[in-house]
């Protein structure tokens, strides 16, 4: 039996190993359809049966699904984000929807750090001056990122990796995520941060999460970095903020409300905007990892097995997912200068617990009694005051002068 896949041209290379493993023939048809209209036109003109549809950003809507002459078995998001797929329409047709999981967390985090370091070093401005023939070592003030504050909005796999990278450069980190015990309110994060990096999915709650009011709260000279989804930031508001220059100094964006970003869009030529075409997670290595995951799902389909990867058209429909998002299990990574520890609850819920905490902040987070408070020494700010005995015990453990065990705290 012939299995047919609708996707981009690179898929032809990805299915070779699948065919070898299953001994079954797979036909890949690739089309370049960036809009719903283009895709529907192709489907209505074709009588081919497609078992698997792989889509990066092309919308798979109710209208698209109606255009298939034969119902596909799987809609595979080529990436982690699936906000371009109509989940309810797929569910009503009993079509499975799958995505890639944790395929480019490191790559996106590297992009964020490159944006931070490049902005701190003013590489764009200095490069432009050099191109003009200018040699002025004092033309643009540069700064170190050490001791600068990074605000991370959204603490999934990418946010966790960004924090790890940032702390290795000596940055202070504050986080806004409602599932995290040490989360701070968004407005407080914006006021405190020199750099703000967004890592949230696009939902009704996060659309225009950063608008004019939020941008007005940011520190003068701060930098906003968006690798999540374009709609999370109001593009009109960020344009106005960049023109004003009172708060945000630069906007580094890899994602946009409408993609491809129109050639005439004012962000393209704004001197304070650094833009890339949604490539933060795309490297040779991450593409290979994504390909392997898609090929595995295809192999399992051919073998009559359930998809190995996270199925999003199921009981967890309302769970938020963005590019390089978390796995099925809710994971909390404790910030630590030594080996990082991960604790996961079996029921998928978040659990604020760490193994062998090493820093003062970790111990305070781990040990404080219900109703007591935590002094965030690591971030250089006081959230609230811990009990004296807890503070002393935490200090002793960090300094290695006590053999007391955490269980001694009542």
């Amino acid at each position: 039996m012939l299995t047919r896949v609708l996707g981009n041209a690179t898929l032809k290379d990805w299915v070779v190993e699948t065919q070898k493993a299953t001994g079954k023939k797979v036909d890949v048809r690739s089309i370049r359809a960036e809009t719903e209209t283009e895709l529907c036109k192709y489907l209505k003109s074709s009588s081919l049966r497609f078992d698997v549809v792989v889509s990066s950003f092309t919308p798979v809507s109710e209208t698209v699904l109606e255009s298939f002459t034969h119902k596909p078995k799987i809609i595979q998001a080529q990436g982690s984000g699936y906000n371009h797929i109509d989940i309810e329409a797929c569910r009503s047709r009993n079509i499975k929807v799958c995505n890639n999981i944790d395929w480019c967390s490191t790559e996106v985090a590297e992009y964020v750090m490159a944006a931070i370091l490049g902005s701190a070093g003013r590489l764009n401005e200095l490069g432009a001056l050099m191109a003009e023939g200018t040699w002025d070592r004092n033309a643009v003030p540069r700064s170190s990122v050490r001791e600068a504050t990074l605000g991370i909005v959204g603490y999934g796999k990418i946010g966790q990796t960004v924090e790890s990278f940032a702390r290795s450069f000596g940055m202070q980190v504050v986080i806004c995520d409602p599932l995290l015990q040490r989360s701070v309110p968004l407005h407080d994060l914006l006021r405190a941060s020199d750099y703000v990096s967004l890592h949230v999915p696009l939902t009704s709650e996060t659309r225009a999460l950063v608008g004019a009011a939020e941008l007005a709260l940011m520190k003068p000279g701060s930098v906003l970095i968006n690798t999540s989804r374009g709609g999370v930031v109001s593009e009109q508001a960020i344009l106005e903020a960049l023109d004003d220059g009172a708060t945000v100094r630069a906007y580094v964006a890899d994602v946009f409300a409408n993609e491809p970003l129109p050639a005439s869009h004012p962000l393209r030529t704004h001197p304070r905007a650094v833009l890339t075409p949604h490539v933060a997670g795309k490297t040779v290595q991450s593409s290979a990892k994504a390909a392997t995951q898609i090929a595995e799902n295809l192999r399992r389909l051919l073998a009559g097995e359930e998809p190995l990867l996270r199925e999003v058209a199921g009981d967890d429909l309302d769970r938020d997912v963005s590019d390089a998002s978390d796995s099925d299990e809710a994971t909390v990574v404790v910030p630590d200068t030594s080996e990082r520890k991960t604790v996961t609850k079996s029921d998928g819920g978040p659990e604020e617990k760490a193994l062998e905490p090493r820093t003062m902040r970790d111990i305070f987070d781990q040990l404080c009694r219900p109703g007591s408070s935590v002094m965030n020494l690591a971030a250089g700010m006081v959230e609230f005051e811990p009990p004296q005995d807890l503070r002393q015990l935490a200090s002793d453990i960090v300094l290695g002068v006590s053999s007391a065990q955490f269980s001694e705290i009542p």
Side-chain angles (χ1 to χ4, degrees):
M1 178 179 176
L2 174 66
T3 298
R4 186 171 286 114
V5 179
L6 177 62
N8 60 39
T10 58
L11 282 173
K12 293 183 178 181
D13 297 328
W14 297 357
V15 300
V16 173
E17 293 303 319
T18 299
Q19 294 185 114
K20 290 180 180 178
T22 61
K24 298 181 180 180
K25 187 175 181 181
V26 179
D27 177 32
V28 177
R29 299 297 178 97
S30 62
I31 62 170
R32 184 174 181 81
E34 295 181 345
T35 67
E36 178 182 274
T37 302
E38 292 173 350
L39 181 55
C40 288
K41 182 178 179 180
Y42 171 81
L43 293 173
K44 289 177 179 179
S45 65
S46 173
S47 60
L48 297 176
R49 171 185 54 81
F50 293 101
D51 301 284
V52 180
V53 177
V54 181
S55 173
S56 295
F57 303 108
T58 304
V60 181
S61 62
E62 175 81 33
T63 303
V64 169
L65 293 172
E66 288 178 350
S67 300
F68 282 94
T69 55
H70 302 279
K71 183 183 73 174
K73 298 176 182 177
I74 291 179
I75 305 294
Q76 171 77 57
Q78 189 174 325
S80 296
Y82 54 85
N83 56 290
H84 60 295
I85 299 172
D86 189 330
I87 302 297
E88 291 295 345
C90 290
R91 171 189 270 177
S92 68
R93 291 170 170 80
N94 197 30
I95 299 173
K96 295 182 183 297
V97 179
C98 299
N99 65 336
N100 291 118
I101 54 174
D102 191 23
W103 65 286
C104 62
S105 300
T106 298
E107 284 78 2
V108 177
E110 289 173 347
Y111 178 101
V112 171
M113 290 310 301
I116 292 172
L117 295 170
S119 298
R122 310 297 284 267
L123 300 186
N124 277 2
E125 296 97 321
L126 291 170
L129 290 173
M130 290 291 287
E132 294 171 358
T134 301
W135 182 281
D136 185 353
R137 299 178 64 202
N138 300 312
V140 181
R142 302 173 68 247
S143 59
S144 171
V145 300
R146 187 171 184 82
E147 302 300 330
T149 299
L150 169 63
I152 299 174
V153 183
Y155 198 61
K157 290 284 178 61
I158 297 177
Q160 295 168 19
T161 307
V162 169
E163 181 191 22
S164 176
F165 287 175
R167 289 192 183 278
S168 72
F169 279 89
M171 299 185 75
Q172 307 293 336
V173 178
V174 291
I175 299 167
C176 176
D177 189 310
L179 296 180
L180 201 65
Q181 185 180 20
R182 58 191 175 97
S183 173
V184 301
L186 177 61
H187 287 186
D188 291 349
L189 179 147
L190 295 174
R191 292 187 183 99
S193 301
D194 301 292
Y195 303 88
V196 175
S197 189
L198 305 176
H199 302 285
V200 296
L202 181 60
T203 66
S204 58
E205 290 78 18
T206 62
R207 187 174 295 279
L209 178 70
V210 179
E214 289 73 27
L215 291 167
L217 295 175
M218 294 182 66
K219 294 175 66 173
S222 58
V223 176
L224 178 63
I225 304 164
N226 188 7
T227 58
S228 56
R229 284 293 185 264
V232 172
V233 175
S234 166
E235 290 179 351
Q236 182 59 40
I238 189 63
L239 277 167
E240 293 174 358
L242 292 173
D243 286 338
D244 180 70
T247 55
V248 182
R249 172 170 64 83
Y251 179 49
V252 182
D254 187 54
V255 289
F256 309 93
N258 294 303
E259 297 184 3
L261 184 68
S264 60
H265 198 289
L267 270 176
R268 281 186 178 265
T269 55
H270 201 289
R272 295 178 183 270
V274 180
L275 313 180
T276 51
H278 207 142
V279 295
K282 186 176 178 60
T283 64
V284 173
Q285 293 82 359
S286 66
S287 295
K289 185 174 182 180
T292 300
Q293 292 185 0
I294 293 174
E296 173 60 15
N297 257 2
L298 180 56
R299 184 200 67 75
R300 295 177 74 86
L301 171 66
L302 293 171
E305 303 172 6
E306 287 297 308
L308 176 65
L309 302 182
R310 177 176 179 212
E311 185 183 339
V312 299
D315 294 336
D316 61 346
L317 268 177
D318 296 328
R319 178 169 291 188
D320 294 339
V321 175
S322 62
D323 266 354
S325 167
D326 298 337
S327 64
D328 280 344
E329 298 175 312
T331 303
V332 176
V333 176
V334 178
D336 196 335
T337 55
S338 62
E339 181 181 358
R340 297 173 66 83
K341 301 293 184 180
T342 304
V343 177
T344 306
K345 287 184 68 177
S346 58
D347 63 359
E351 182 176 10
E352 286 293 332
K353 185 177 181 181
L355 299 178
E356 302 177 10
R358 291 283 185 267
T359 66
M360 182 78 79
R361 179 58 203 257
D362 295 346
I363 294 170
F364 283 163
D365 281 350
Q366 178 76 17
L367 299 182
C368 65
R369 303 187 188 99
S372 65
S373 51
V374 176
M375 177 180 289
N376 186 351
L377 300 180
M381 59 187 243
V382 176
E383 294 176 344
F384 30 82
E385 186 73 15
Q388 177 60 39
D389 58 343
L390 173 60
R391 189 192 315 178
Q392 183 61 53
L393 175 60
S395 177
D396 289 346
I397 295 173
V398 169
L399 297 175
V401 298
S402 171
S403 59
Q405 298 298 311
F406 299 148
S407 58
E408 294 179 8
I409 298 293

